[in-house]
Amino acid sequence: MKRVLIAVSALCLAACSTYMPQRYSISADNNVALKSLSVGNINVGSFSGVKDFNGMCRGAGPIAPPDSISFEAYVQKALADELKVAGMFDDKTPKVTLSGALTQLEFSSSRALTGGSWDIGLVVSSSNGKKVSASEHYEFNSGFIADTACKQTAEAYLPAVQNLIGKVVKSPEFKSLVVAE
């Protein structure tokens, strides 16, 4: 009986982990790019995600954003937070509302054995009828051991999203999204 209890305890301790990216933090470069536009009263609406995303990482456990939100909600909040810090966000009397759709979301924790990558595609639509698309291929060192590789993969989501948001807000088409027509 003692051996059975030890075996069950070992299995419980070896159970899957959930690997979480950090909460989004503002990118200084994105903030500078947004402030240079000199516009405001922008709201951020809903974002949709991809249907076939598999968050399992090497059988070690899933990758999931913090605070029990979805990956698309993470990107939505990232854009809203960038606009807030730039002084451009207004959900009470917006001139335009931006919504989004993730068109691609996938990761690899074993690119070339010890490397990893995130691939994220995004279309941002404005209530004024304009759209802009961006995609990010973000590579990082993941590691050989599953636990380390999955932790590194989760941590790489934040800079991948910062780069993606940067591509959106720095694109020449972005200003047409945030100007009311």
Side-chain angles (χ1 to χ4, degrees), residues 103-140:
T103 58
Q104 180 183 22
L105 181 64
E106 54 192 28
F107 66 85
S108 171
S109 64
S110 57
R111 178 187 49 77
L113 196 58
T114 61
S117 62
W118 275 98
D119 289 292
I120 311 169
L122 175 65
V123 175
V124 177
S125 304
S126 175
S127 57
N128 70 13
K130 307 285 186 188
K131 292 182 181 186
V132 66
S133 298
S135 62
E136 173 64 13
H137 174 76
Y138 184 79
E139 294 186 359
F140 56 93

PDB file of all heavy atoms in Angstrom, residues 103-140:
ATOM      1  N   THR A 103      -5.262  35.948 -37.656  1.00  0.00           N
ATOM      2  CA  THR A 103      -5.364  35.099 -38.838  1.00  0.00           C
ATOM      3  C   THR A 103      -4.404  33.923 -38.777  1.00  0.00           C
ATOM      4  O   THR A 103      -4.553  32.958 -39.519  1.00  0.00           O
ATOM      5  CB  THR A 103      -5.081  35.911 -40.116  1.00  0.00           C
ATOM      6  OG1 THR A 103      -3.767  36.491 -40.000  1.00  0.00           O
ATOM      7  CG2 THR A 103      -6.122  37.007 -40.289  1.00  0.00           C
ATOM      8  N   GLN A 104      -3.429  34.025 -37.894  1.00  0.00           N
ATOM      9  CA  GLN A 104      -2.459  32.946 -37.690  1.00  0.00           C
ATOM     10  C   GLN A 104      -1.985  33.003 -36.246  1.00  0.00           C
ATOM     11  O   GLN A 104      -1.751  34.079 -35.706  1.00  0.00           O
ATOM     12  CB  GLN A 104      -1.263  33.107 -38.631  1.00  0.00           C
ATOM     13  CG  GLN A 104      -0.219  32.024 -38.479  1.00  0.00           C
ATOM     14  CD  GLN A 104       0.998  32.242 -39.368  1.00  0.00           C
ATOM     15  OE1 GLN A 104       1.273  33.353 -39.806  1.00  0.00           O
ATOM     16  NE2 GLN A 104       1.729  31.182 -39.628  1.00  0.00           N
ATOM     17  N   LEU A 105      -1.871  31.842 -35.637  1.00  0.00           N
ATOM     18  CA  LEU A 105      -1.321  31.745 -34.294  1.00  0.00           C
ATOM     19  C   LEU A 105      -0.764  30.344 -34.140  1.00  0.00           C
ATOM     20  O   LEU A 105      -1.508  29.367 -34.101  1.00  0.00           O
ATOM     21  CB  LEU A 105      -2.386  32.010 -33.232  1.00  0.00           C
ATOM     22  CG  LEU A 105      -1.905  31.946 -31.775  1.00  0.00           C
ATOM     23  CD1 LEU A 105      -0.880  33.049 -31.503  1.00  0.00           C
ATOM     24  CD2 LEU A 105      -3.069  32.061 -30.814  1.00  0.00           C
ATOM     25  N   GLU A 106       0.562  30.259 -34.129  1.00  0.00           N
ATOM     26  CA  GLU A 106       1.208  28.968 -33.926  1.00  0.00           C
ATOM     27  C   GLU A 106       2.603  29.183 -33.380  1.00  0.00           C
ATOM     28  O   GLU A 106       3.192  30.244 -33.538  1.00  0.00           O
ATOM     29  CB  GLU A 106       1.235  28.140 -35.207  1.00  0.00           C
ATOM     30  CG  GLU A 106       1.853  28.826 -36.394  1.00  0.00           C
ATOM     31  CD  GLU A 106       1.602  28.083 -37.702  1.00  0.00           C
ATOM     32  OE1 GLU A 106       0.587  27.383 -37.819  1.00  0.00           O
ATOM     33  OE2 GLU A 106       2.441  28.210 -38.592  1.00  0.00           O
ATOM     34  N   PHE A 107       3.090  28.150 -32.708  1.00  0.00           N
ATOM     35  CA  PHE A 107       4.440  28.221 -32.161  1.00  0.00           C
ATOM     36  C   PHE A 107       5.146  26.895 -32.374  1.00  0.00           C
ATOM     37  O   PHE A 107       4.527  25.864 -32.604  1.00  0.00           O
ATOM     38  CB  PHE A 107       4.426  28.573 -30.669  1.00  0.00           C
ATOM     39  CG  PHE A 107       3.803  27.524 -29.791  1.00  0.00           C
ATOM     40  CD1 PHE A 107       4.548  26.454 -29.323  1.00  0.00           C
ATOM     41  CD2 PHE A 107       2.475  27.608 -29.421  1.00  0.00           C
ATOM     42  CE1 PHE A 107       3.981  25.479 -28.508  1.00  0.00           C
ATOM     43  CE2 PHE A 107       1.888  26.649 -28.603  1.00  0.00           C
ATOM     44  CZ  PHE A 107       2.651  25.578 -28.149  1.00  0.00           C
ATOM     45  N   SER A 108       6.453  26.974 -32.277  1.00  0.00           N
ATOM     46  CA  SER A 108       7.289  25.783 -32.256  1.00  0.00           C
ATOM     47  C   SER A 108       8.270  25.954 -31.110  1.00  0.00           C
ATOM     48  O   SER A 108       8.882  27.014 -30.968  1.00  0.00           O
ATOM     49  CB  SER A 108       8.059  25.617 -33.565  1.00  0.00           C
ATOM     50  OG  SER A 108       9.015  24.579 -33.437  1.00  0.00           O
ATOM     51  N   SER A 109       8.384  24.925 -30.299  1.00  0.00           N
ATOM     52  CA  SER A 109       9.375  24.966 -29.217  1.00  0.00           C
ATOM     53  C   SER A 109      10.601  24.131 -29.580  1.00  0.00           C
ATOM     54  O   SER A 109      11.500  23.967 -28.768  1.00  0.00           O
ATOM     55  CB  SER A 109       8.761  24.443 -27.919  1.00  0.00           C
ATOM     56  OG  SER A 109       8.406  23.080 -28.058  1.00  0.00           O
ATOM     57  N   SER A 110      10.622  23.629 -30.821  1.00  0.00           N
ATOM     58  CA  SER A 110      11.731  22.755 -31.216  1.00  0.00           C
ATOM     59  C   SER A 110      12.217  23.019 -32.637  1.00  0.00           C
ATOM     60  O   SER A 110      12.567  22.110 -33.359  1.00  0.00           O
ATOM     61  CB  SER A 110      11.309  21.291 -31.073  1.00  0.00           C
ATOM     62  OG  SER A 110      10.161  21.037 -31.838  1.00  0.00           O
ATOM     63  N   ARG A 111      12.258  24.277 -33.040  1.00  0.00           N
ATOM     64  CA  ARG A 111      12.815  24.643 -34.338  1.00  0.00           C
ATOM     65  C   ARG A 111      14.317  24.391 -34.285  1.00  0.00           C
ATOM     66  O   ARG A 111      15.011  24.911 -33.411  1.00  0.00           O
ATOM     67  CB  ARG A 111      12.524  26.123 -34.626  1.00  0.00           C
ATOM     68  CG  ARG A 111      13.078  26.649 -35.931  1.00  0.00           C
ATOM     69  CD  ARG A 111      12.901  28.165 -36.054  1.00  0.00           C
ATOM     70  NE  ARG A 111      13.343  28.901 -34.882  1.00  0.00           N
ATOM     71  CZ  ARG A 111      14.608  29.161 -34.580  1.00  0.00           C
ATOM     72  NH1 ARG A 111      15.579  28.749 -35.348  1.00  0.00           N
ATOM     73  NH2 ARG A 111      14.917  29.851 -33.487  1.00  0.00           N
ATOM     74  N   ALA A 112      14.808  23.563 -35.172  1.00  0.00           N
ATOM     75  CA  ALA A 112      16.237  23.204 -35.193  1.00  0.00           C
ATOM     76  C   ALA A 112      16.692  22.675 -33.827  1.00  0.00           C
ATOM     77  O   ALA A 112      17.769  23.001 -33.348  1.00  0.00           O
ATOM     78  CB  ALA A 112      17.091  24.379 -35.645  1.00  0.00           C
ATOM     79  N   LEU A 113      15.843  21.910 -33.184  1.00  0.00           N
ATOM     80  CA  LEU A 113      16.064  21.216 -31.925  1.00  0.00           C
ATOM     81  C   LEU A 113      16.041  22.112 -30.690  1.00  0.00           C
ATOM     82  O   LEU A 113      15.330  21.827 -29.741  1.00  0.00           O
ATOM     83  CB  LEU A 113      17.358  20.399 -31.963  1.00  0.00           C
ATOM     84  CG  LEU A 113      17.514  19.349 -30.871  1.00  0.00           C
ATOM     85  CD1 LEU A 113      16.378  18.356 -30.885  1.00  0.00           C
ATOM     86  CD2 LEU A 113      18.831  18.638 -31.012  1.00  0.00           C
ATOM     87  N   THR A 114      16.802  23.195 -30.650  1.00  0.00           N
ATOM     88  CA  THR A 114      16.844  24.024 -29.436  1.00  0.00           C
ATOM     89  C   THR A 114      16.361  25.450 -29.671  1.00  0.00           C
ATOM     90  O   THR A 114      16.591  26.327 -28.836  1.00  0.00           O
ATOM     91  CB  THR A 114      18.261  24.073 -28.838  1.00  0.00           C
ATOM     92  OG1 THR A 114      19.147  24.642 -29.805  1.00  0.00           O
ATOM     93  CG2 THR A 114      18.729  22.701 -28.422  1.00  0.00           C
ATOM     94  N   GLY A 115      15.720  25.690 -30.790  1.00  0.00           N
ATOM     95  CA  GLY A 115      15.173  27.013 -31.072  1.00  0.00           C
ATOM     96  C   GLY A 115      13.663  26.964 -31.041  1.00  0.00           C
ATOM     97  O   GLY A 115      13.052  25.903 -31.012  1.00  0.00           O
ATOM     98  N   GLY A 116      13.068  28.115 -31.042  1.00  0.00           N
ATOM     99  CA  GLY A 116      11.617  28.200 -31.056  1.00  0.00           C
ATOM    100  C   GLY A 116      11.173  29.375 -31.884  1.00  0.00           C
ATOM    101  O   GLY A 116      11.980  30.241 -32.257  1.00  0.00           O
ATOM    102  N   SER A 117       9.887  29.417 -32.180  1.00  0.00           N
ATOM    103  CA  SER A 117       9.341  30.551 -32.934  1.00  0.00           C
ATOM    104  C   SER A 117       7.850  30.696 -32.669  1.00  0.00           C
ATOM    105  O   SER A 117       7.162  29.730 -32.344  1.00  0.00           O
ATOM    106  CB  SER A 117       9.583  30.370 -34.436  1.00  0.00           C
ATOM    107  OG  SER A 117       8.917  29.210 -34.907  1.00  0.00           O
ATOM    108  N   TRP A 118       7.388  31.914 -32.778  1.00  0.00           N
ATOM    109  CA  TRP A 118       5.963  32.250 -32.782  1.00  0.00           C
ATOM    110  C   TRP A 118       5.648  32.849 -34.142  1.00  0.00           C
ATOM    111  O   TRP A 118       6.429  33.660 -34.660  1.00  0.00           O
ATOM    112  CB  TRP A 118       5.632  33.299 -31.714  1.00  0.00           C
ATOM    113  CG  TRP A 118       5.387  32.738 -30.351  1.00  0.00           C
ATOM    114  CD1 TRP A 118       6.282  32.668 -29.325  1.00  0.00           C
ATOM    115  CD2 TRP A 118       4.170  32.175 -29.852  1.00  0.00           C
ATOM    116  NE1 TRP A 118       5.696  32.095 -28.225  1.00  0.00           N
ATOM    117  CE2 TRP A 118       4.388  31.788 -28.524  1.00  0.00           C
ATOM    118  CE3 TRP A 118       2.912  31.967 -30.408  1.00  0.00           C
ATOM    119  CZ2 TRP A 118       3.406  31.201 -27.737  1.00  0.00           C
ATOM    120  CZ3 TRP A 118       1.926  31.382 -29.619  1.00  0.00           C
ATOM    121  CH2 TRP A 118       2.185  31.005 -28.303  1.00  0.00           C
ATOM    122  N   ASP A 119       4.523  32.473 -34.711  1.00  0.00           N
ATOM    123  CA  ASP A 119       4.008  33.080 -35.937  1.00  0.00           C
ATOM    124  C   ASP A 119       2.605  33.585 -35.633  1.00  0.00           C
ATOM    125  O   ASP A 119       1.715  32.796 -35.274  1.00  0.00           O
ATOM    126  CB  ASP A 119       3.983  32.061 -37.080  1.00  0.00           C
ATOM    127  CG  ASP A 119       5.386  31.734 -37.555  1.00  0.00           C
ATOM    128  OD1 ASP A 119       6.017  32.634 -38.138  1.00  0.00           O
ATOM    129  OD2 ASP A 119       5.849  30.605 -37.322  1.00  0.00           O
ATOM    130  N   ILE A 120       2.434  34.899 -35.754  1.00  0.00           N
ATOM    131  CA  ILE A 120       1.156  35.529 -35.423  1.00  0.00           C
ATOM    132  C   ILE A 120       0.767  36.447 -36.575  1.00  0.00           C
ATOM    133  O   ILE A 120       1.553  37.292 -36.989  1.00  0.00           O
ATOM    134  CB  ILE A 120       1.242  36.361 -34.128  1.00  0.00           C
ATOM    135  CG1 ILE A 120       1.906  35.561 -32.998  1.00  0.00           C
ATOM    136  CG2 ILE A 120      -0.147  36.837 -33.702  1.00  0.00           C
ATOM    137  CD1 ILE A 120       2.256  36.391 -31.780  1.00  0.00           C
ATOM    138  N   GLY A 121      -0.441  36.288 -37.080  1.00  0.00           N
ATOM    139  CA  GLY A 121      -0.984  37.169 -38.106  1.00  0.00           C
ATOM    140  C   GLY A 121      -2.172  37.911 -37.539  1.00  0.00           C
ATOM    141  O   GLY A 121      -2.948  37.365 -36.743  1.00  0.00           O
ATOM    142  N   LEU A 122      -2.334  39.156 -37.935  1.00  0.00           N
ATOM    143  CA  LEU A 122      -3.397  40.001 -37.393  1.00  0.00           C
ATOM    144  C   LEU A 122      -3.942  40.927 -38.460  1.00  0.00           C
ATOM    145  O   LEU A 122      -3.181  41.512 -39.232  1.00  0.00           O
ATOM    146  CB  LEU A 122      -2.830  40.834 -36.223  1.00  0.00           C
ATOM    147  CG  LEU A 122      -3.746  41.873 -35.572  1.00  0.00           C
ATOM    148  CD1 LEU A 122      -4.930  41.206 -34.875  1.00  0.00           C
ATOM    149  CD2 LEU A 122      -2.953  42.710 -34.577  1.00  0.00           C
ATOM    150  N   VAL A 123      -5.258  41.073 -38.497  1.00  0.00           N
ATOM    151  CA  VAL A 123      -5.916  42.093 -39.299  1.00  0.00           C
ATOM    152  C   VAL A 123      -6.642  43.012 -38.324  1.00  0.00           C
ATOM    153  O   VAL A 123      -7.433  42.540 -37.494  1.00  0.00           O
ATOM    154  CB  VAL A 123      -6.929  41.494 -40.302  1.00  0.00           C
ATOM    155  CG1 VAL A 123      -7.678  42.606 -41.034  1.00  0.00           C
ATOM    156  CG2 VAL A 123      -6.237  40.584 -41.293  1.00  0.00           C
ATOM    157  N   VAL A 124      -6.343  44.300 -38.387  1.00  0.00           N
ATOM    158  CA  VAL A 124      -7.015  45.293 -37.550  1.00  0.00           C
ATOM    159  C   VAL A 124      -7.946  46.090 -38.454  1.00  0.00           C
ATOM    160  O   VAL A 124      -7.525  46.611 -39.488  1.00  0.00           O
ATOM    161  CB  VAL A 124      -6.012  46.231 -36.841  1.00  0.00           C
ATOM    162  CG1 VAL A 124      -6.746  47.291 -36.033  1.00  0.00           C
ATOM    163  CG2 VAL A 124      -5.077  45.426 -35.950  1.00  0.00           C
ATOM    164  N   SER A 125      -9.213  46.162 -38.050  1.00  0.00           N
ATOM    165  CA  SER A 125     -10.238  46.885 -38.816  1.00  0.00           C
ATOM    166  C   SER A 125     -10.723  48.071 -38.007  1.00  0.00           C
ATOM    167  O   SER A 125     -10.886  47.982 -36.792  1.00  0.00           O
ATOM    168  CB  SER A 125     -11.423  45.968 -39.110  1.00  0.00           C
ATOM    169  OG  SER A 125     -11.003  44.815 -39.782  1.00  0.00           O
ATOM    170  N   SER A 126     -10.983  49.169 -38.706  1.00  0.00           N
ATOM    171  CA  SER A 126     -11.488  50.372 -38.065  1.00  0.00           C
ATOM    172  C   SER A 126     -12.979  50.523 -38.362  1.00  0.00           C
ATOM    173  O   SER A 126     -13.464  50.080 -39.406  1.00  0.00           O
ATOM    174  CB  SER A 126     -10.739  51.594 -38.598  1.00  0.00           C
ATOM    175  OG  SER A 126     -11.296  52.784 -38.078  1.00  0.00           O
ATOM    176  N   SER A 127     -13.677  51.177 -37.458  1.00  0.00           N
ATOM    177  CA  SER A 127     -15.099  51.464 -37.683  1.00  0.00           C
ATOM    178  C   SER A 127     -15.288  52.419 -38.864  1.00  0.00           C
ATOM    179  O   SER A 127     -16.393  52.563 -39.371  1.00  0.00           O
ATOM    180  CB  SER A 127     -15.732  52.052 -36.415  1.00  0.00           C
ATOM    181  OG  SER A 127     -15.032  53.223 -36.008  1.00  0.00           O
ATOM    182  N   ASN A 128     -14.189  53.023 -39.355  1.00  0.00           N
ATOM    183  CA  ASN A 128     -14.283  53.894 -40.536  1.00  0.00           C
ATOM    184  C   ASN A 128     -14.146  53.100 -41.840  1.00  0.00           C
ATOM    185  O   ASN A 128     -14.113  53.679 -42.924  1.00  0.00           O
ATOM    186  CB  ASN A 128     -13.257  55.037 -40.470  1.00  0.00           C
ATOM    187  CG  ASN A 128     -11.811  54.573 -40.654  1.00  0.00           C
ATOM    188  OD1 ASN A 128     -11.542  53.451 -41.073  1.00  0.00           O
ATOM    189  ND2 ASN A 128     -10.883  55.456 -40.328  1.00  0.00           N
ATOM    190  N   GLY A 129     -14.034  51.777 -41.750  1.00  0.00           N
ATOM    191  CA  GLY A 129     -13.981  50.928 -42.938  1.00  0.00           C
ATOM    192  C   GLY A 129     -12.587  50.544 -43.411  1.00  0.00           C
ATOM    193  O   GLY A 129     -12.443  49.710 -44.297  1.00  0.00           O
ATOM    194  N   LYS A 130     -11.552  51.107 -42.841  1.00  0.00           N
ATOM    195  CA  LYS A 130     -10.171  50.805 -43.250  1.00  0.00           C
ATOM    196  C   LYS A 130      -9.643  49.588 -42.497  1.00  0.00           C
ATOM    197  O   LYS A 130     -10.097  49.281 -41.394  1.00  0.00           O
ATOM    198  CB  LYS A 130      -9.252  51.999 -42.997  1.00  0.00           C
ATOM    199  CG  LYS A 130      -9.722  53.308 -43.595  1.00  0.00           C
ATOM    200  CD  LYS A 130      -9.516  53.340 -45.063  1.00  0.00           C
ATOM    201  CE  LYS A 130      -9.878  54.744 -45.545  1.00  0.00           C
ATOM    202  NZ  LYS A 130      -9.909  54.917 -46.913  1.00  0.00           N
ATOM    203  N   LYS A 131      -8.642  48.918 -43.088  1.00  0.00           N
ATOM    204  CA  LYS A 131      -8.016  47.746 -42.476  1.00  0.00           C
ATOM    205  C   LYS A 131      -6.510  47.795 -42.681  1.00  0.00           C
ATOM    206  O   LYS A 131      -6.031  48.383 -43.639  1.00  0.00           O
ATOM    207  CB  LYS A 131      -8.519  46.450 -43.125  1.00  0.00           C
ATOM    208  CG  LYS A 131      -9.946  46.135 -42.870  1.00  0.00           C
ATOM    209  CD  LYS A 131     -10.322  44.810 -43.523  1.00  0.00           C
ATOM    210  CE  LYS A 131     -11.776  44.520 -43.267  1.00  0.00           C
ATOM    211  NZ  LYS A 131     -12.161  43.206 -43.737  1.00  0.00           N
ATOM    212  N   VAL A 132      -5.806  47.122 -41.778  1.00  0.00           N
ATOM    213  CA  VAL A 132      -4.373  46.923 -41.933  1.00  0.00           C
ATOM    214  C   VAL A 132      -4.042  45.510 -41.447  1.00  0.00           C
ATOM    215  O   VAL A 132      -4.626  45.030 -40.477  1.00  0.00           O
ATOM    216  CB  VAL A 132      -3.537  47.996 -41.183  1.00  0.00           C
ATOM    217  CG1 VAL A 132      -3.697  47.904 -39.695  1.00  0.00           C
ATOM    218  CG2 VAL A 132      -2.071  47.914 -41.564  1.00  0.00           C
ATOM    219  N   SER A 133      -3.134  44.867 -42.170  1.00  0.00           N
ATOM    220  CA  SER A 133      -2.691  43.517 -41.808  1.00  0.00           C
ATOM    221  C   SER A 133      -1.227  43.547 -41.414  1.00  0.00           C
ATOM    222  O   SER A 133      -0.443  44.342 -41.948  1.00  0.00           O
ATOM    223  CB  SER A 133      -2.840  42.565 -42.997  1.00  0.00           C
ATOM    224  OG  SER A 133      -4.175  42.451 -43.370  1.00  0.00           O
ATOM    225  N   ALA A 134      -0.861  42.670 -40.497  1.00  0.00           N
ATOM    226  CA  ALA A 134       0.538  42.537 -40.096  1.00  0.00           C
ATOM    227  C   ALA A 134       0.770  41.102 -39.648  1.00  0.00           C
ATOM    228  O   ALA A 134      -0.163  40.409 -39.231  1.00  0.00           O
ATOM    229  CB  ALA A 134       0.869  43.498 -38.960  1.00  0.00           C
ATOM    230  N   SER A 135       2.007  40.670 -39.760  1.00  0.00           N
ATOM    231  CA  SER A 135       2.364  39.347 -39.250  1.00  0.00           C
ATOM    232  C   SER A 135       3.746  39.421 -38.621  1.00  0.00           C
ATOM    233  O   SER A 135       4.565  40.261 -38.980  1.00  0.00           O
ATOM    234  CB  SER A 135       2.328  38.301 -40.363  1.00  0.00           C
ATOM    235  OG  SER A 135       3.269  38.603 -41.354  1.00  0.00           O
ATOM    236  N   GLU A 136       3.963  38.535 -37.663  1.00  0.00           N
ATOM    237  CA  GLU A 136       5.227  38.493 -36.945  1.00  0.00           C
ATOM    238  C   GLU A 136       5.731  37.060 -36.900  1.00  0.00           C
ATOM    239  O   GLU A 136       4.991  36.136 -36.529  1.00  0.00           O
ATOM    240  CB  GLU A 136       5.058  39.024 -35.521  1.00  0.00           C
ATOM    241  CG  GLU A 136       6.262  38.875 -34.626  1.00  0.00           C
ATOM    242  CD  GLU A 136       7.485  39.669 -35.068  1.00  0.00           C
ATOM    243  OE1 GLU A 136       7.383  40.550 -35.932  1.00  0.00           O
ATOM    244  OE2 GLU A 136       8.573  39.402 -34.527  1.00  0.00           O
ATOM    245  N   HIS A 137       6.975  36.874 -37.299  1.00  0.00           N
ATOM    246  CA  HIS A 137       7.677  35.605 -37.112  1.00  0.00           C
ATOM    247  C   HIS A 137       8.790  35.916 -36.118  1.00  0.00           C
ATOM    248  O   HIS A 137       9.738  36.631 -36.440  1.00  0.00           O
ATOM    249  CB  HIS A 137       8.259  35.076 -38.427  1.00  0.00           C
ATOM    250  CG  HIS A 137       9.097  33.857 -38.247  1.00  0.00           C
ATOM    251  ND1 HIS A 137       8.556  32.607 -38.031  1.00  0.00           N
ATOM    252  CD2 HIS A 137      10.448  33.696 -38.208  1.00  0.00           C
ATOM    253  CE1 HIS A 137       9.537  31.735 -37.893  1.00  0.00           C
ATOM    254  NE2 HIS A 137      10.690  32.370 -37.991  1.00  0.00           N
ATOM    255  N   TYR A 138       8.652  35.427 -34.905  1.00  0.00           N
ATOM    256  CA  TYR A 138       9.579  35.752 -33.822  1.00  0.00           C
ATOM    257  C   TYR A 138      10.341  34.495 -33.421  1.00  0.00           C
ATOM    258  O   TYR A 138       9.741  33.500 -33.023  1.00  0.00           O
ATOM    259  CB  TYR A 138       8.803  36.306 -32.621  1.00  0.00           C
ATOM    260  CG  TYR A 138       9.685  36.764 -31.498  1.00  0.00           C
ATOM    261  CD1 TYR A 138      10.321  38.000 -31.561  1.00  0.00           C
ATOM    262  CD2 TYR A 138       9.892  35.978 -30.373  1.00  0.00           C
ATOM    263  CE1 TYR A 138      11.143  38.432 -30.536  1.00  0.00           C
ATOM    264  CE2 TYR A 138      10.708  36.397 -29.340  1.00  0.00           C
ATOM    265  CZ  TYR A 138      11.335  37.628 -29.429  1.00  0.00           C
ATOM    266  OH  TYR A 138      12.154  38.054 -28.412  1.00  0.00           O
ATOM    267  N   GLU A 139      11.671  34.529 -33.539  1.00  0.00           N
ATOM    268  CA  GLU A 139      12.507  33.389 -33.187  1.00  0.00           C
ATOM    269  C   GLU A 139      13.227  33.642 -31.866  1.00  0.00           C
ATOM    270  O   GLU A 139      13.576  34.781 -31.545  1.00  0.00           O
ATOM    271  CB  GLU A 139      13.527  33.116 -34.288  1.00  0.00           C
ATOM    272  CG  GLU A 139      12.884  32.661 -35.580  1.00  0.00           C
ATOM    273  CD  GLU A 139      13.877  32.250 -36.656  1.00  0.00           C
ATOM    274  OE1 GLU A 139      15.102  32.338 -36.423  1.00  0.00           O
ATOM    275  OE2 GLU A 139      13.414  31.832 -37.726  1.00  0.00           O
ATOM    276  N   PHE A 140      13.438  32.566 -31.124  1.00  0.00           N
ATOM    277  CA  PHE A 140      14.083  32.652 -29.815  1.00  0.00           C
ATOM    278  C   PHE A 140      14.750  31.316 -29.506  1.00  0.00           C
ATOM    279  O   PHE A 140      14.485  30.313 -30.162  1.00  0.00           O
ATOM    280  CB  PHE A 140      13.048  32.999 -28.730  1.00  0.00           C
ATOM    281  CG  PHE A 140      11.903  32.031 -28.701  1.00  0.00           C
ATOM    282  CD1 PHE A 140      11.912  30.927 -27.862  1.00  0.00           C
ATOM    283  CD2 PHE A 140      10.806  32.210 -29.531  1.00  0.00           C
ATOM    284  CE1 PHE A 140      10.871  30.023 -27.854  1.00  0.00           C
ATOM    285  CE2 PHE A 140       9.748  31.314 -29.528  1.00  0.00           C
ATOM    286  CZ  PHE A 140       9.780  30.214 -28.684  1.00  0.00           C
TER     287      PHE A 140
END
